[in-house]
Amino acid sequence: MANIKKIGVFTSGGDSPGMNAAIRSVVRTCAYLNVECVGIYWGYQGMIKGDFKLMNARSVHNIINKGGTILKTARCEEFRTKEGRKKAYDQLQAAGIDAFVVIGGDGSFTGAMIFNQEFGFPVIGIPGTIDNDIFGTTFTLGFDTALNTVVEAIDKIRDTASSHNRLFFVEVMGRDVGHIALNAGVGAGAEEILIPEENLGRERLLESLKRSRSSGKSSSIVIVAEGDKTGKNIFELKEYVEANFPDYEVRVSVLGHMQRGGAPSCYDRVLASRMGVRAVEALLEGKTNLMVGVQDNQLILTPINKAIKGHTKIDKELIRVSEIMST
Amino acid sequence: MANIKKIGVFTSGGDSPGMNAAIRSVVRTCAYLNVECVGIYWGYQGMIKGDFKLMNARSVHNIINKGGTILKTARCEEFRTKEGRKKAYDQLQAAGIDAFVVIGGDGSFTGAMIFNQEFGFPVIGIPGTIDNDIFGTTFTLGFDTALNTVVEAIDKIRDTASSHNRLFFVEVMGRDVGHIALNAGVGAGAEEILIPEENLGRERLLESLKRSRSSGKSSSIVIVAEGDKTGKNIFELKEYVEANFPDYEVRVSVLGHMQRGGAPSCYDRVLASRMGVRAVEALLEGKTNLMVGVQDNQLILTPINKAIKGHTKIDKELIRVSEIMST
Amino acid sequence: MANIKKIGVFTSGGDSPGMNAAIRSVVRTCAYLNVECVGIYWGYQGMIKGDFKLMNARSVHNIINKGGTILKTARCEEFRTKEGRKKAYDQLQAAGIDAFVVIGGDGSFTGAMIFNQEFGFPVIGIPGTIDNDIFGTTFTLGFDTALNTVVEAIDKIRDTASSHNRLFFVEVMGRDVGHIALNAGVGAGAEEILIPEENLGRERLLESLKRSRSSGKSSSIVIVAEGDKTGKNIFELKEYVEANFPDYEVRVSVLGHMQRGGAPSCYDRVLASRMGVRAVEALLEGKTNLMVGVQDNQLILTPINKAIKGHTKIDKELIRVSEIMST
Amino acid sequence: MANIKKIGVFTSGGDSPGMNAAIRSVVRTCAYLNVECVGIYWGYQGMIKGDFKLMNARSVHNIINKGGTILKTARCEEFRTKEGRKKAYDQLQAAGIDAFVVIGGDGSFTGAMIFNQEFGFPVIGIPGTIDNDIFGTTFTLGFDTALNTVVEAIDKIRDTASSHNRLFFVEVMGRDVGHIALNAGVGAGAEEILIPEENLGRERLLESLKRSRSSGKSSSIVIVAEGDKTGKNIFELKEYVEANFPDYEVRVSVLGHMQRGGAPSCYDRVLASRMGVRAVEALLEGKTNLMVGVQDNQLILTPINKAIKGHTKIDKELIRVSEIMST
């Protein structure tokens, strides 16, 4: 049986909406269960430096609806070394921290897993990333919010696209996976959605745009995931289409970092609150090296090594829906 | 094997965000699969009157992001009578409509089921209601959007609550079920959430508010579902608290009908698009008397009589999360 | 010539969006001009108790976009007495505060003016109220934001109103003045706007609604300012219309306190920033007993007694525009 | 005295939020005053082709809150030729159109002025552009909305900037003028604002960023107007700062076309409604070759040639406010 009296919590890697709600949940669950809770600033970097602060239920007042992370976040090279991890361990020991909850993506989880293997230190992960690319959970924290941010931006772009009968290429986040592109593309009513998992070629894109125009559509939105390989990049794709389809005015918009921020959606707030409770409970039950996920609207625990190695697959049904919708 | 050549689609009962996205999906799926599609205006009332309009892919241009329903909606007494249903059947026959997709809640589904029993007419339901009270689907269309609307409104109310150290009672929709109250309450960081499924008594509420104040909280938000029975209504609850806890300034806010409107969230748009495809496909596969639902992020089909009779249950885990979060 | 070395700042009365931006501006202008700045919590009540905190440029980090007021606000009976004001003066003297900037409405300004008369204490006002009812400024802080909040809520209500062909009565803030109702009513495309400054009678309203319906409008929104006297209140108005115009389904929505909160609009943030600079500068120039206002997009100073006694008038041109728009 | 019986209305040049509200106002004012109103599609291009449609009060139902323009918009080379304008005149004559209201920017106004000079055709302009660069009006239609869009996007970017202690360069619209950059920069709490009207040099920018960092600021936002000349472009500016200030992680975000779209703010809706009324009235009063503007919250009329030739000046007071606020 575990004897956990003080739990650390931190965020790591790229930030995502809902991280603050998850921090709040971890802190308040600790308070509720009479366990001490320590905020670790700047992720693994702050762990190495001992950048710790004791937190109570009031420390996380009014943050459930704030984007970003009050504990800050960073990527940390030093933690990739044995020496770095040893320093971190010493700091945790010195501060009396018995276990930690890490909120982040697969890089952050890999660090936690190795740390656990080396020092037997209890760790639980909460998947915080807008990319939805973590195995073992249907949704990651921040994905739902990012989708809303993207469709709201594209709704605005569509106003100007349809006023001018223009074609817009809109780049959204997703270096390796097309979940944001595919879902936001369907949600925004995009004509075409280009994702890293599929490369149907730029000729097919051109054909599709021509067919769409001749069917009476006056304006079009094409969503392009960052990591898509149809063109070298979105700007060259634009040039290709302009060169081969001259009667269409083409514009490019790269949505960029605003996709990471903003007040989390209700869904992300609730999911974060639930996951924080489960993470603390799991540690107190003596569990370790697991990630909290959601499946069929129930919380589940997955071994971190599976969460990292598994691959999320693009949804074939949704690709088909997107094709039908652009009829 | 079914021989469906013309499909009707309509919305019925209270409107919800995502209904237009579902209509668009049904219409475009028909176009994609070379089936004719007819919009039926004003629900069953329009069916009785033959208020029909042939729709094509362009008819549903630019509606995916609009609240409400372009086909209008109504409640219809006449359809509850055998004569009314016979008139409706004759109109559908005269127009050559072979099957229909009904987007609505359980009242609308009951009508469809009886209609199917009486005339052997193929029907498929899509659950469109903000209340999330339909069995056979984890989420109904509009629920996610309504939650976002509610938390955004409460975020605003919290600004003024915390500036004045006030206690706010906020009424949200939910006559019979507390799903909106419970989820939006957790999402908005409410101190207490009062739902129809649970009545813990107003004395307990008072104790909780006093404890919360003495623990250092300066302002509080209490979410009250429309159908909650803790007080006779939200205004009497306010008076009771004021009388028994005089040092707290109390205010009431009834969010009302704005909860039904607004641009649908990305989630609701995607779900509506997926459900529309599945509904049309199911009819073409010869299926009938079923509702399309989502479970574990997969679409499933449930017999309409089960969808109506089954009861959605309030989530015990989420009630516990809400208690812990208000620590 | 003034010799001001330490300036107090506080918010008083009802909160409004932009108050935090104004606090931030006062604090940073003091820092920029090497004057000390003290935040006074809870308005005049905190002044009497000496609830002070020294602030620097970093104290107001990340608040420009937050609704409410980090300095809290209250109404204070004790400050209406000579004794209360003497206590406040002693506290200010003890803390070495030489002058103050009050952000609030006319009640707050009246207190400041009397305080100035009694103790010769330098005071400058910044108009912070959503009601836009202060003489000497075209716009008060928070008015623009509140208008956006109201039209966004009514846009949502319109979705459901037009899906059901309903008539909605929507109550907005404005006990004595109809500025919110009139502007938001025009902005939301309301059929009728009922304001305290005009009572044309409920018979005329009924005629107008009937005319509007017969002209082909299927749904209608009527905006009612809190202080309107056409009916006893909005619920009786509803009953009157239902009794006399039975074929119209009528609903009521009271928008309530959400109108006071939320992230301020860009306009309110800029105006607050400008007013804060001018307020501090005016004190350092030896000016007192003035309110900063905006007129023709320029900042102006008005004697506080004029700001209080003057009356803002409802805009006849805008009433005419509202009539034409509901054609 | 004018004898105007049929008025044309169109949008021209880049679209801006509020154009639909202005179209609605022109159409409804015509209906109210018993003048016929014709919508001209695609600006001058549609005028040349006779792309006209008679409009009544119901034609503009539910568009007050929509971005873009239902009449579409375009730039038109042919109208720059005498022949093109003659064709347009013949089309207007053939359709019995006696006068027109043009909603657009200075390019569109120049066309109208020349057309008026050549054919004595009555024209009135309404300033519709997000850039706020038209002389004779304090605010153009769409400027207020664009500012809100920009600050909301930057609020999101700030979440991620401050979670990572990053420096962001954010590009906003404004090729020749810095009004959006300056106002949104102050509204978003930007550290630095770079506008076309001022080029203080990149060395000074670097100094300012270093000073700001050493004063304890952990993250910074720099707003760059499209037309700024401090660097060759925003990406080179980023490289320069990275090269010379290596301990700062720098990111770039180009907000792009979403700035032109979206539901107009209440202010823009009201202003559009007022301007539409005044434009029609002015034509009926026999006036011509004027632009409707707003000054000191009153509508004024300015000769179009002044509106085009005059220069809007950047506000020195606001530049000073921006400096003080970034203390």
Side-chain angles (χ1 to χ4, degrees), chain C residues 122-273:
Chain C
V123 305
I124 296 280
I126 290 178
T129 163
I130 62 168
D131 291 329
N132 209 33
D133 59 347
I134 307 282
F135 187 81
T137 191
T138 310
F139 299 112
T140 56
L141 285 184
F143 178 58
D144 185 63
T145 304
L147 293 182
N148 285 330
T149 300
V150 172
V151 295
E152 282 166 26
I154 300 177
D155 285 353
K156 289 187 171 76
I157 292 172
R158 188 173 290 280
D159 285 340
T160 190
S162 68
S163 296
H164 287 273
N165 281 11
R166 277 175 183 156
L167 168 64
F168 266 88
F169 286 95
V170 180
E171 186 185 288
V172 301
M173 285 195 167
R175 239 165 249 174
D176 305 308
V177 291
H179 297 298
I180 291 179
L182 185 53
N183 281 274
V186 170
E191 266 40 75
E192 283 284 328
I193 302 167
L194 307 179
I195 54 177
E197 291 89 341
E198 261 193 349
N199 181 353
L200 303 176
R202 54 189 202 175
E203 296 76 18
R204 195 205 49 83
L205 171 67
L206 200 65
E207 284 318 304
S208 159
L209 291 172
K210 288 183 176 173
R211 202 166 46 239
S212 152
R213 183 120 231 202
S214 66
S215 85
K217 287 195 192 180
S218 51
S219 63
S220 290
I221 308 273
V222 175
I223 307 294
V224 186
E226 251 177 320
D228 170 66
K229 299 289 179 294
T230 307
K232 248 189 212 161
N233 62 45
I234 195 170
F235 295 98
E236 300 208 354
L237 210 51
K238 170 187 188 281
E239 282 171 27
Y240 171 76
V241 170
E242 284 180 321
N244 291 281
F245 193 9
D247 51 326
Y248 227 152
E249 242 189 294
V250 191
R251 293 287 183 278
V252 163
S253 187
V254 176
L255 292 187
H257 279 81
M258 57 174 286
Q259 295 168 80
R260 290 202 174 282
S265 67
C266 186
Y267 184 84
D268 276 330
R269 299 183 195 189
V270 172
L271 185 60
S273 302

Side-chain angles (χ1 to χ4, degrees), chain B residues 29-179:
Chain B
T29 306
C30 286
Y32 185 84
L33 298 172
N34 293 311
V35 178
E36 282 194 294
C37 189
V38 173
I40 301 172
Y41 285 79
W42 297 110
Y44 290 115
Q45 192 178 297
M47 196 185 287
I48 290 171
K49 294 192 183 158
D51 196 351
F52 302 154
K53 192 172 145 195
L54 203 61
M55 302 185 89
N56 63 36
R58 295 286 74 72
S59 317
V60 289
H61 179 60
N62 267 356
I63 67 168
I64 192 171
N65 61 348
K66 303 293 185 295
T69 158
I70 60 162
L71 292 179
K72 309 286 181 171
T73 182
R75 287 183 172 80
C76 176
E77 285 307 310
E78 196 177 355
F79 197 79
R80 293 170 183 268
T81 66
K82 178 109 194 183
E83 293 73 28
R85 291 190 295 271
K86 181 63 172 66
K87 282 192 210 169
Y89 181 71
D90 292 343
Q91 292 281 8
L92 293 171
Q93 289 287 98
I97 297 171
D98 303 313
F100 68 64
V101 177
V102 49
I103 307 164
D106 52 8
S108 312
F109 290 167
T110 305
M113 186 179 66
I114 296 172
F115 192 72
N116 170 267
Q117 287 161 354
E118 288 178 350
F119 302 100
F121 196 86
V123 305
I124 295 280
I126 290 177
T129 162
I130 63 169
D131 290 329
N132 208 35
D133 58 348
I134 308 282
F135 187 81
T137 191
T138 310
F139 299 113
T140 55
L141 285 185
F143 177 58
D144 185 64
T145 304
L147 293 182
N148 285 331
T149 300
V150 171
V151 296
E152 283 166 26
I154 300 178
D155 285 353
K156 290 188 170 78
I157 291 172
R158 188 174 289 279
D159 285 340
T160 189
S162 69
S163 297
H164 288 273
N165 280 11
R166 277 175 183 157
L167 169 62
F168 267 87
F169 286 95
V170 180
E171 186 185 288
V172 301
M173 285 194 167
R175 238 165 250 176
D176 304 308
V177 292
H179 297 297

Side-chain angles (χ1 to χ4, degrees), chain B residues 173-222:
Chain B
M173 285 194 167
R175 238 165 250 176
D176 304 308
V177 292
H179 297 297
I180 290 179
L182 185 54
N183 281 274
V186 170
E191 266 42 74
E192 284 283 329
I193 303 167
L194 308 179
I195 54 177
E197 290 89 342
E198 262 194 348
N199 181 353
L200 302 175
R202 54 190 202 175
E203 296 75 17
R204 194 205 50 82
L205 172 67
L206 200 66
E207 283 319 302
S208 160
L209 291 172
K210 287 184 176 172
R211 203 167 45 240
S212 152
R213 182 122 234 201
S214 67
S215 85
K217 287 196 192 179
S218 51
S219 64
S220 290
I221 307 274
V222 175

Side-chain angles (χ1 to χ4, degrees), chain A residues 148 266 269 274 281 320, chain B residues 148 155 266 281 317 320:
Chain A
N148 285 331
C266 186
R269 300 183 195 188
R274 295 171 67 193
E281 285 180 340
R320 187 158 175 271
Chain B
N148 285 331
D155 285 353
C266 186
E281 285 180 339
E317 179 225 331
R320 188 159 172 271

Side-chain angles (χ1 to χ4, degrees), chain A:
Chain A
M1 186 53 212
N3 191 11
I4 308 278
K5 291 183 173 155
K6 196 184 273 190
I7 290 176
V9 60
F10 61 98
T11 48
S12 170
D15 64 321
S16 76
M19 281 188 160
N20 276 328
I23 294 167
R24 171 180 180 267
S25 176
V26 169
V27 171
R28 293 210 166 161
T29 306
C30 287
Y32 185 84
L33 298 172
N34 293 309
V35 178
E36 282 194 294
C37 188
V38 172
I40 301 172
Y41 285 79
W42 297 110
Y44 291 115
Q45 192 179 298
M47 196 184 286
I48 289 170
K49 295 191 184 158
D51 196 353
F52 302 152
K53 192 171 146 195
L54 203 61
M55 302 187 88
N56 63 35
R58 294 288 74 69
S59 317
V60 290
H61 179 60
N62 267 356
I63 67 167
I64 192 172
N65 60 350
K66 302 295 186 294
T69 157
I70 61 163
L71 293 179
K72 309 287 180 170
T73 182
R75 289 184 171 80
C76 176
E77 287 305 310
E78 197 178 354
F79 197 78
R80 293 170 183 266
T81 68
K82 180 107 195 184
E83 294 72 29
R85 291 190 295 271
K86 181 63 172 66
K87 282 191 208 166
Y89 181 71
D90 292 345
Q91 293 281 8
L92 293 170
Q93 289 289 98
I97 298 170
D98 304 312
F100 69 65
V101 177
V102 49
I103 307 164
D106 51 10
S108 312
F109 289 168
T110 304
M113 187 180 65
I114 296 171
F115 192 72
N116 171 267
Q117 288 161 354
E118 288 178 350
F119 302 100
F121 196 87
V123 304
I124 295 279
I126 290 178
T129 163
I130 62 168
D131 290 329
N132 208 35
D133 58 349
I134 308 282
F135 187 81
T137 190
T138 310
F139 299 113
T140 56
L141 285 185
F143 177 59
D144 185 63
T145 304
L147 293 182
N148 285 331
T149 300
V150 173
V151 296
E152 283 167 25
I154 300 178
D155 285 354
K156 290 188 170 77
I157 291 172
R158 189 175 287 282
D159 284 341
T160 188
S162 69
S163 298
H164 287 273
N165 279 11
R166 278 175 183 157
L167 168 63
F168 267 88
F169 285 95
V170 180
E171 186 184 286
V172 302
M173 285 194 167
R175 239 166 250 176
D176 305 308
V177 292
H179 298 296
I180 291 180
L182 185 53
N183 281 273
V186 171
E191 264 43 72
E192 283 284 330
I193 303 167
L194 308 180
I195 54 177
E197 291 88 343
E198 262 193 347
N199 181 354
L200 302 176
R202 53 189 202 174
E203 296 75 19
R204 195 204 50 82
L205 172 67
L206 200 66
E207 282 321 302
S208 160
L209 292 172
K210 287 184 176 170
R211 202 167 46 240
S212 152
R213 182 122 233 202
S214 67
S215 85
K217 285 195 192 180
S218 51
S219 64
S220 291
I221 307 273
V222 175
I223 307 295
V224 186
E226 252 176 319
D228 171 66
K229 299 288 178 294
T230 307
K232 247 190 214 160
N233 62 45
I234 196 170
F235 295 98
E236 300 206 356
L237 211 51
K238 169 186 187 282
E239 281 171 28
Y240 170 76
V241 170
E242 283 180 323
N244 290 281
F245 193 9
D247 51 326
Y248 226 151
E249 242 188 293
V250 190
R251 292 286 184 279
V252 163
S253 186
V254 177
L255 292 187
H257 279 82
M258 58 175 285
Q259 294 169 80
R260 290 203 175 282
S265 67
C266 186
Y267 184 84
D268 277 329
R269 300 183 195 188
V270 171
L271 185 59
S273 302
R274 295 171 67 193
M275 285 180 165
V277 171
R278 192 72 195 91
V280 172
E281 285 180 340
L283 285 173
L284 296 185
E285 290 161 7
K287 297 197 169 80
T288 183
N289 223 1
L290 299 166
M291 185 195 76
V292 185
V294 66
Q295 201 172 75
D296 195 10
N297 212 24
Q298 302 297 316
L299 297 183
I300 55 165
L301 296 169
T302 302
I304 282 187
N305 67 332
K306 283 200 186 170
I308 296 165
K309 285 186 196 152
H311 286 288
T312 57
K313 281 182 199 151
I314 207 71
D315 190 340
K316 295 282 174 196
E317 178 225 332
L318 196 50
I319 290 181
R320 187 158 175 271
V321 168
S322 82
E323 282 170 18
I324 298 176
M325 288 307 103
S326 60
T327 300

